[in-house]
């Protein structure tokens, strides 16, 4: 499908994070979809020439398809806001809340969403207090199987399932490879579910939940981006009550973290039907094997329609913001005259 009055959209992809290759794949697919929707698309890497280019070119909308710290830690989003460029997605402040898994988990626990019990460890504390002493305390507090993961980052990089105590030290080293803070949490066994939330200005709505069943039993990096490594069920095979609970929890997460436009919220639904929050993604993967495109397809829509809608929403938000600012300035001038 195509739209009249197409906008100039700059799609950002690449970056220097561990997820650069995934981002490039996401960016190409977003660019193709927006081109099909009738927009004029420029695909750019977030390099040293990006900000001068945006300041000079003044595109109608920027659509970040960046993963990892390149786009999800909020830094670039703050700069785009400072430039006054309309941007698809969450604000820098909201992105920082989601980017930090401990912060997001704490906020959602306060909002009543189930969150796995965990201990958060900085690399500095781990070294200063002694690895053996720290891990002894961890094991006394958290028994059974554990999940060790970086406190920030995506694509399951640096994530390890720990089944026995002697696996824990190596898991910590792996997590600290990707971040200075690691999370050790009690493993919740159940069905892994991803819920895409779309908010085009009328409030958050959810697309069909995607159920994830990796062939190895672990949804790691390879299972996420290599075709055939994972079976996806859209819609999920969960019962009605379980689906209602997990979609409601996704909307609560989206709202609690202050997210905007598009997010993907990941859960484990246990045998009792309780959805346990894993993480929130403000710039989720949009590759050919990613979960958001699967949810879009299951909804009966297509990427061109959904991404085009998000672009229009971001552009309208920017225009209305400019109008509001102009009205405010005008009011101020008249009161001084």
């Amino acid at each position: 499908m195509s739209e009249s009055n197409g906008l100039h959209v700059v799609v950002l992809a690449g970056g220097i994070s561990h997820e650069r290759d995934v981002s490039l794949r996401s960016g190409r697919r977003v660019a193709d979809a927006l081109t099909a929707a009738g927009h004029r698309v420029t695909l750019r890497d977030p390099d040293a020439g990006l900000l001068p280019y945006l300041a000079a070119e003044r595109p109608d909308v920027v659509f970040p398809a960046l993963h990892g710290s390149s786009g999800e830690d909020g830094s670039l989003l703050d700069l785009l806001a400072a430039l006054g460029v309309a941007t698809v997605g969450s604000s820098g402040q909201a992105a920082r809340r989601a980017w930090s898994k401990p912060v997001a988990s704490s906020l959602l626990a306060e909002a009543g969403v189930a969150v796995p019990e965990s201990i958060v460890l900085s690399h500095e504390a781990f070294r200063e207090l002694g690895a053996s002493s720290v891990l002894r305390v961890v094991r006394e507090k958290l028994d059974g199987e554990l999940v060790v993961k970086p406190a920030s980052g995506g694509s399951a990089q640096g994530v390890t399932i720990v089944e026995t105590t002697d696996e824990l030290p190596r898991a910590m080293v792996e997590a600290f490879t990707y971040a200075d803070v690691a999370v050790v949490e009690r493993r919740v066994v159940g069905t892994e579910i991803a819920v895409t939330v779309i908010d085009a200005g009328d409030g958050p709505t959810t697309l069909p939940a995607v159920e994830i069943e990796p062939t190895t039993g672990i949804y790691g990096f390879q299972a996420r981006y290599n075709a055939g490594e994972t079976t996806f069920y859209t819609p999920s095979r969960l019962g009605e009550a379980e689906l209602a609970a997990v979609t409601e929890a996704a909307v609560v997460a989206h709202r609690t973290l202050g997210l905007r436009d598009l997010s993907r919220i990941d859960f484990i639904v246990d045998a009792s039907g309780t959805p346990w929050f894993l993480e929130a993604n403000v710039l989720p993967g949009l590759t050919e094997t990613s979960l958001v495109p699967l949810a879009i397809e299951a909804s009966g829509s297509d990427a061109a329609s959904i991404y085009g809608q998000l672009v229009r929403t971001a552009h309208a938000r920017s225009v209305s913001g400019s109008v509001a600012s102009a009205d405010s300035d005008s009011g101020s001038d008249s009161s001084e005259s």
Side-chain angles (χ1 to χ4, degrees):
M1 63 171 291
S2 64
E3 299 179 0
S4 58
N5 304 317
L7 302 171
H8 179 203
V9 183
V10 173
V11 175
L12 301 181
I16 59 173
S17 80
H18 298 292
E19 299 177 74
R20 173 179 173 82
D21 290 343
V22 177
S23 173
L24 290 171
R25 288 163 60 185
S26 289
R28 283 192 291 269
R29 288 182 67 85
V30 170
D32 289 345
L34 291 176
T35 298
H39 298 293
R40 180 167 64 91
V41 180
T42 302
L43 192 59
R44 291 263 330 189
D45 211 311
D47 54 22
L50 175 63
L51 297 181
Y53 167 81
L54 293 176
E57 181 67 20
R58 308 302 302 177
D60 295 305
V61 179
V62 170
F63 194 126
L66 299 164
H67 311 313
S69 57
S70 293
E72 295 184 80
D73 68 0
S75 300
L76 178 59
L77 299 175
D78 277 350
L79 290 169
L80 294 174
L83 280 174
V85 178
T87 304
V88 171
S90 296
S91 67
Q93 184 179 31
R96 280 186 286 276
R97 286 192 287 266
W99 175 245
S100 170
K101 292 180 175 67
V103 169
S105 293
S106 296
L107 291 172
L108 291 183
E110 291 174 1
V113 176
V115 175
E117 185 179 9
S118 66
I119 293 175
V120 180
L121 298 169
S122 70
H123 197 187
E124 185 176 69
F126 192 70
R127 288 180 300 181
E128 287 185 355
L129 299 176
S132 60
S133 296
V134 168
L135 294 183
R136 188 178 305 112
V137 172
V138 169
R139 257 315 184 192
E140 289 172 355
K141 176 66 174 175
L142 302 175
D143 57 355
E145 293 189 354
L146 305 175
V147 179
V148 179
K149 58 189 178 183
S152 57
S155 294
Q157 292 183 317
V159 178
T160 305
I161 305 296
V162 174
E163 298 178 340
T164 61
T165 299
D166 59 1
E167 296 172 342
L168 190 51
R170 179 60 191 167
M172 298 301 302
V173 171
E174 180 71 10
F176 286 136
T177 300
Y178 291 91
D180 290 332
V181 177
V183 179
V184 184
E185 67 183 23
R186 195 183 303 279
R187 185 185 185 190
V188 177
V189 177
T191 304
E192 189 155 358
I193 298 290
V195 181
T196 298
V197 181
I198 301 291
D199 187 351
D202 298 324
T205 59
T206 58
L207 299 184
V210 179
E211 180 180 337
I212 302 154
E213 188 179 77
T215 56
T216 62
I218 299 173
Y219 192 46
F221 184 85
Q222 298 301 322
R224 289 167 187 253
Y225 299 111
N226 291 334
E229 301 254 353
T230 304
T231 301
F232 301 103
Y233 297 93
T234 49
S236 165
R237 298 171 297 177
L238 290 176
E240 241 179 78
E242 290 84 358
L243 277 175
V246 74
T247 53
E248 180 183 357
V251 171
V252 170
H254 184 92
R255 285 182 165 145
T256 299
L257 297 175
L259 307 185
R260 192 173 64 187
D261 296 347
L262 170 69
S263 70
R264 195 194 76 226
I265 317 295
D266 298 342
F267 297 91
I268 293 286
V269 180
D270 68 16
S272 71
T274 299
W276 294 81
F277 171 76
L278 296 181
E279 64 178 329
N281 301 270
V282 298
L283 294 172
L286 302 172
T287 73
E288 63 280 3
T289 60
S290 295
L291 304 174
V292 171
L294 290 174
I296 291 173
E297 183 180 356
S299 74
S301 187
D302 57 62
S305 297
I306 296 294
Y307 302 161
Q309 184 182 32
L310 296 178
V311 161
R312 293 289 182 188
T313 298
H315 184 252
R317 182 168 58 234
S318 175
V319 170
S320 65
S322 298
V323 170
S325 177
D327 288 345
S328 175
D329 291 345
S330 175
S332 175
D333 290 341
S334 61
S335 66
E336 292 173 1
S337 60

